Amino acid sequence: GFTVLHDSLVTSGFPFSIRLRFINPGFGAPHVRSPWGWEADNLNLMIKPWNVQDIRATTSGYQMLALALKGKTETFNGEAEKAELALRLSGGEPRSGHLLLKGIELKAETIGQTGISVAVADLQIERLVTGKADYLTASASLSASMQGIEGPWLNASPLGGLVQSLALEARQMGSFDQGPLVESLENWRDNGGTIEIGTLNFQHGPLKFRADGTLALDDKLQPIGALTARVEGFFETIDALKQLGVVKSRDATTAKMVLGVLSRKSSSGGPAHLNLALSAQSGRLYAGPIALMELPKVDWRGFKN
């Protein structure tokens, strides 16, 4: 179901390595629910003859990315200082992947549309077990570190169009079954599967957030969980969400009054911060004892393609 194209292919490196250089490559999925496509000036693949399970792909220079946004295909053109993917296979299945992006600057063809930029992004995913894992065993891990992220998906954010930084360390406890996504998620949930968040740090506009905790799925496959968080810029964030209409005026006033009592001044003279529990249950997000806002429902059937 994928579309693959290139103008020419140059091979080199043998016997110490196998190098494939694709000129004007393209790759995409035009027939899925949210079609996408990518083209570039070049794509370089390298493997070692004695270890064909490890594949490294790199590209730089001109890049084109087409994405479906709000039911319309948007095209972005620009440059990449570096984009590299290291993929390790095991028995023909992906065992781990490491994606590094640096200096991505893509402008939208549509006038007024926000472009895509990434200062640095480092993403690693690893499958930790090959067989069935119970709820006490970590079956996969995720590590992500990003800086300077801008894109059209941030247009609706009341905190601005720039995510200054994001760091995440997480593990999946229990394993997914092969088969339809909804059925696999139901089995994973019923067997006690969770997502353990070891580290979640990010800064977006005035909001600085550091947390750890656990996420899971309820009987309707909606996210639930509890995080222990240290938050700066909480009151500015509440005001911004109220202006957007995500948080009701009454709930915003209650949250600021109750949580204002719990806020602490920094001993070093920095901004005030809150240490509080964040929880998601019954389709609502709670900040301490305050029901802050409704959470959007996740339709997992929309991901079947």
Side-chain angles (χ1 to χ4, degrees), residues 100-157:
L100 176 63
L101 302 176
K102 186 176 181 180
I104 309 296
E105 292 288 346
L106 305 179
K107 293 184 178 180
E109 288 187 353
T110 301
I111 297 176
Q113 177 66 268
T114 303
I116 298 173
S117 65
V118 179
V120 180
D122 192 313
L123 175 67
Q124 298 186 60
I125 300 175
E126 183 175 4
R127 182 160 53 96
L128 301 176
V129 297
T130 56
K132 184 76 172 177
D134 63 21
Y135 72 98
L136 297 176
T137 304
S139 63
S141 66
L142 168 66
S143 174
S145 175
M146 305 179 188
Q147 295 180 359
I149 307 297
E150 294 182 277
W153 47 85
L154 292 170
N155 286 345
S157 172

Side-chain angles (χ1 to χ4, degrees), residues 52-55 87-96 127:
V52 296
Q53 299 295 316
D54 288 355
I55 305 169
L87 186 65
R88 173 165 293 179
L89 306 178
S90 177
E93 296 288 336
R95 180 63 184 266
S96 65
R127 182 160 53 96

Side-chain angles (χ1 to χ4, degrees), residues 168-245:
L168 173 65
E169 300 283 345
R171 299 189 304 165
Q172 175 189 322
M173 309 302 291
S175 56
F176 293 139
D177 298 329
Q178 297 288 339
L181 177 60
V182 171
E183 182 178 326
S184 179
L185 288 173
E186 289 174 341
N187 292 337
W188 175 71
R189 173 203 62 197
D190 293 344
N191 289 317
T194 59
I195 301 295
E196 301 294 333
I197 307 294
T199 301
L200 173 57
N201 297 341
F202 71 87
Q203 181 178 358
H204 180 26
L207 178 64
K208 292 184 179 180
F209 184 90
R210 184 175 69 208
D212 60 76
T214 302
L215 303 178
L217 296 174
D218 64 13
D219 58 349
K220 298 180 180 179
L221 292 184
Q222 297 305 301
I224 56 174
L227 299 174
T228 301
R230 184 185 191 276
V231 185
E232 293 181 15
F234 183 84
F235 301 108
E236 295 91 334
T237 301
I238 291 294
D239 287 337
L241 292 173
K242 183 180 71 172
Q243 292 179 5
L244 190 65

Side-chain angles (χ1 to χ4, degrees), residues 258-272:
V258 174
L259 298 177
V261 178
L262 304 177
S263 65
R264 301 178 181 179
K265 290 287 187 180
S266 173
S267 59
S268 61

